[in-house]
Amino acid sequence: QPSPDVHLEGEGRWDEIFDRLYRHEKETRAELARRDAGLSLFAAAGEALTDGIVTLDATERIVWCNHIAARQLAIDPRTDRGQPIAHLIRHPEFIAYLTAADFSRPLVMSFDRGNEEVLSLSMLPYADSNRLLQIRDVTQSERLDRMRRDFVANVSHELRTPLTVLAGFLETLRELPLAEEERTRYLALMSEQSERMLSIIQDLLTLSVLEASPPPENAKIDMAALLDRLHRDAIALSGGRHVILLETPAQDTALSGSESELTSAFGNLLSNAIRYTPQAGSIHIRWEKMGTEAIFSVTDSGVGIDPRHIPRLTERFYRADAGRSRAAGGTGLGLAIVKHALARHQATLEITSEPGHGSRFAA
């Protein structure tokens, strides 16, 4: 076969034939080059997508896939090409999806690989009998949707309990003749449940404000005055049942941020320590400077927390001990408020605890 750079020559009609052959070969090579460039451009575009893409032929064999799909489906773009996709993805839900051939809705599923990844698979027809499988990672949206459902269920549950108690007391007061002393006790319990609902609603509003507000103001905060106020409030809340100590540096106590948000965050840490520390226990408030950073910590000698609960303590309404938390008057939202307020000040909450040996919350 002659080289593309060689132009054959001949005499008479042969020269015309050779010239036509040369032009035809040149045009064919140019067409092949354009096709290869187009395929390369198509592949590059497919690789640039954030969704996984698998192209299938009429028999549902793999023609091509991008690297996202290869990772999501655990397939090899080279060795698995030409294989029926049902032979490589044997998950029952996916096989049922292919068998039913009803692709009007995507299939949302998890492959149970230990990473909690949730994928949405959509089968789209194209070019006659070919199909394109689009794989979208919906893990985050599914997690947010689950959190929304859990949040609504938790709020309903938390408010239903005091409302049920109130309804019961109201029915009793309306239908039964009660002595004045018993009537007064019922009214006091009703007032307690009303205050509990108000506390839950107030904490929900605080969370809503923290999530929707613009970044906090960068005002200078007199930490010495704020800490003194927190210390006095903690002593008042304790009512003499605990030893509450405050330790601050001799100087340089200023901080920039929102005083109201930090007061709310630090106050929640203190109220939790008082709530879960038995009578005669100790609570140590400490503010210290470490280079350019500052640390606020509350250390108590309370009941402590099982380590398995610590990663979830800042979730809304999460309770390590639901019965004890409600009995102590907690709303289940305090540490969620702390987490959001600190995040708005580029700070994090560190929790160390051991059952029976107290806890330390540091920001």
Side-chain angles (χ1 to χ4, degrees):
Q1 180 179 349
S3 165
D5 296 326
V6 175
H7 185 74
L8 298 177
E9 295 182 357
E11 297 181 358
R13 294 184 60 83
W14 285 109
D15 185 54
E16 182 181 346
I17 293 171
F18 288 151
D19 188 58
R20 288 179 180 177
L21 287 172
Y22 174 75
R23 286 201 305 271
H24 176 71
E25 182 182 10
K26 186 176 181 180
E27 289 171 357
T28 301
R29 289 180 180 276
E31 182 63 28
L32 289 173
R34 285 194 295 271
R35 187 198 64 181
D36 290 344
L39 289 173
S40 298
L41 189 62
F42 168 79
E47 294 292 355
L49 294 174
T50 55
D51 291 343
I53 297 294
V54 182
T55 56
L56 306 171
D57 64 15
T59 60
E60 295 180 347
R61 295 176 181 271
I62 296 174
V63 177
W64 177 86
C65 73
N66 64 2
H67 72 285
I68 298 289
R71 179 191 62 78
Q72 291 170 326
L73 303 180
I75 58 179
D76 190 312
R78 292 166 298 179
T79 60
D80 291 335
R81 184 177 296 174
Q83 294 292 319
I85 194 166
H87 290 183
L88 301 173
I89 305 173
R90 298 180 178 272
H91 198 286
E93 287 185 63
F94 182 71
I95 299 300
Y97 182 65
L98 288 180
T99 303
D102 179 9
F103 305 130
S104 57
R105 292 185 179 181
L107 169 66
V108 178
M109 60 176 289
S110 172
F111 285 96
D112 302 323
R113 296 180 182 137
N115 58 3
E116 297 185 354
E117 187 178 55
V118 182
L119 302 176
S120 173
L121 292 80
S122 300
M123 193 73 79
L124 309 171
Y126 82 101
D128 297 328
S129 300
N130 294 312
R131 289 174 179 170
L132 183 146
L133 180 63
Q134 179 186 30
I135 308 106
R136 178 165 296 169
D137 188 338
V138 294
T139 308
Q140 184 65 14
S141 61
E142 285 289 309
R143 184 180 295 122
L144 291 173
D145 191 50
R146 185 172 63 252
M147 288 174 62
R148 178 189 59 78
R149 292 194 302 268
D150 290 346
F151 175 70
V152 171
N154 285 328
V155 170
S156 300
H157 176 74
E158 293 293 333
L159 292 178
R160 184 185 298 117
T161 301
L163 279 171
T164 301
V165 174
L166 278 172
F169 285 148
L170 285 170
E171 185 176 352
T172 301
L173 289 172
R174 186 176 62 247
E175 296 184 358
L176 297 179
L178 301 173
E180 188 61 31
E181 182 179 343
E182 195 171 12
R183 188 181 182 86
T184 301
R185 184 172 69 86
Y186 279 9
L187 289 172
L189 291 171
M190 291 169 64
S191 177
E192 181 182 313
Q193 295 300 320
S194 297
E195 289 174 3
R196 172 167 171 69
M197 284 193 294
L198 285 173
S199 295
I200 293 172
I201 292 169
Q202 182 58 54
D203 282 353
L204 286 171
L205 289 173
T206 300
L207 269 175
S208 178
V209 169
L210 286 174
E211 291 174 343
S213 296
E217 57 188 17
N218 198 29
K220 189 174 183 180
I221 303 171
D222 184 349
M223 285 301 298
L226 188 151
L227 291 166
D228 181 64
R229 186 166 64 252
L230 288 171
H231 186 212
R232 285 187 280 106
D233 289 346
I235 292 173
L237 182 62
S238 170
R241 293 180 293 112
H242 308 91
V243 177
I244 302 178
L245 304 174
L246 171 62
E247 181 182 350
T248 61
Q251 56 184 0
D252 192 19
T253 61
L255 186 70
S256 295
S258 168
E259 183 169 349
S260 62
E261 292 182 18
L262 291 179
T263 299
S264 175
F266 297 160
N268 269 298
L269 293 180
L270 277 168
S271 63
N272 274 357
I274 293 168
R275 188 176 293 120
Y276 299 113
T277 300
Q279 188 168 341
S282 64
I283 297 169
H284 188 186
I285 310 166
R286 181 181 177 87
W287 172 256
E288 55 188 324
K289 300 283 285 187
M290 299 185 67
T292 58
E293 298 182 348
I295 299 175
F296 174 85
S297 63
V298 177
T299 307
D300 63 59
S301 61
V303 295
I305 307 163
D306 191 310
R308 65 191 175 91
H309 294 298
I310 290 177
R312 299 191 61 189
L313 285 180
T314 56
E315 293 180 17
R316 301 176 189 191
F317 295 113
Y318 184 82
R319 303 175 189 273
D321 186 333
R324 185 172 62 193
S325 179
R326 290 192 180 92
T331 64
L333 295 167
L335 290 180
I337 291 173
V338 172
K339 176 185 175 181
H340 278 76
L342 293 179
R344 286 168 53 79
H345 289 80
Q346 293 78 53
T348 56
L349 179 65
E350 295 183 2
I351 307 171
T352 53
S353 185
E354 185 180 347
H357 293 83
S359 307
R360 178 179 184 267
F361 291 77

